[in-house]
Amino acid sequence: MKLKIIDLMSQLINDGSGLFELDDLNAYVDKLIEKACLLTIIEQDVLKGLLAYYANDYENKVAFLSMLIISPSARRMGYGRRLVEFVFTELTLKGFKKCCTEVKEDNIKALTVCKKLGFTSAGTKNGYMVLEKLL
C-alpha cells in the first residue's frame, strides 16, 4: 500500500500546483500508515483516492482530517465527498463531536470543497485556514 500512496501523492507533488510540498514523502507516508486511519478507493489495483484522518482525541471528542487526495483521473466523480461523508458517519458513531482540518489560505478549490461539506472557519495558523465541522 505504501507504494500506491507514494505514487498517488507524487502526482500532486509534481503537478506544479504547489498543493503538496513534502520534503520527505517516505517518512510522511510511514507516519500516515502507522498512526492515521486510512480510507482508500482502489480500482483495478490502482489507488484512485485516499483519505487520512486521526480519531485519537477521545477526551475532547475531536477528530482531524489530515489529507484527502483524489487522482486526477478520478476527479469529479463524487469519491472525495463520499469518503468524507463516510468518515463523518463513522466519527459520529464513535461519539466524536467535531472534525477539524487545515487548508492553505490560497487553496481556494479545497476551501470551497470544505465549505460545501459543512466546515466553517475557526481561524488561521501559519498561512493555513483552520476549519471545523460539528458532527
Side-chain angles (χ1 to χ4, degrees):
M1 178 58 74
K2 179 179 178 177
L3 293 177
K4 290 180 188 305
I5 295 171
I6 288 172
D7 183 53
L8 179 61
M9 290 181 70
S10 293
Q11 293 176 43
L12 298 172
I13 291 170
N14 298 320
D15 73 352
S17 69
L19 294 180
F20 292 101
E21 299 171 10
L22 300 173
D23 294 329
D24 190 353
L25 184 56
N26 278 318
Y28 183 70
V29 172
D30 285 341
K31 177 185 170 194
L32 288 178
I33 290 170
E34 181 182 334
K35 299 184 185 238
C37 300
L38 303 176
L39 291 178
T40 60
I41 296 173
I42 298 175
E43 185 178 285
Q44 296 181 353
D45 203 37
V46 175
L47 182 63
K48 296 288 187 172
L50 168 74
L51 188 144
Y53 68 100
Y54 294 91
N56 52 8
D57 184 353
Y58 289 100
E59 184 176 322
N60 296 306
K61 306 286 189 195
V62 176
F64 185 80
L65 197 150
S66 180
M67 177 178 298
L68 174 63
I69 303 175
I70 303 298
S71 169
S73 67
R75 289 192 184 145
R76 306 199 55 80
M77 300 172 95
Y79 289 141
R81 178 185 44 79
R82 282 182 274 187
L83 286 171
V84 173
E85 288 173 353
F86 180 88
V87 168
F88 289 163
T89 299
E90 183 176 322
L91 291 170
T92 301
L93 292 172
K94 289 182 177 180
F96 281 80
K97 302 296 181 194
K98 187 182 347 181
C99 184
C100 297
T101 193
E102 295 176 1
V103 177
K104 278 189 172 182
E105 289 178 305
D106 62 354
N107 189 345
I108 303 303
K109 192 181 247 186
L111 289 169
T112 301
V113 169
C114 287
K115 288 182 183 184
K116 284 182 183 178
L117 291 167
F119 283 93
T120 58
S121 177
T124 59
K125 181 172 87 175
N126 300 325
Y128 284 83
M129 289 280 300
V130 178
L131 304 168
E132 65 182 20
K133 176 178 172 63
L134 299 178
L135 301 173

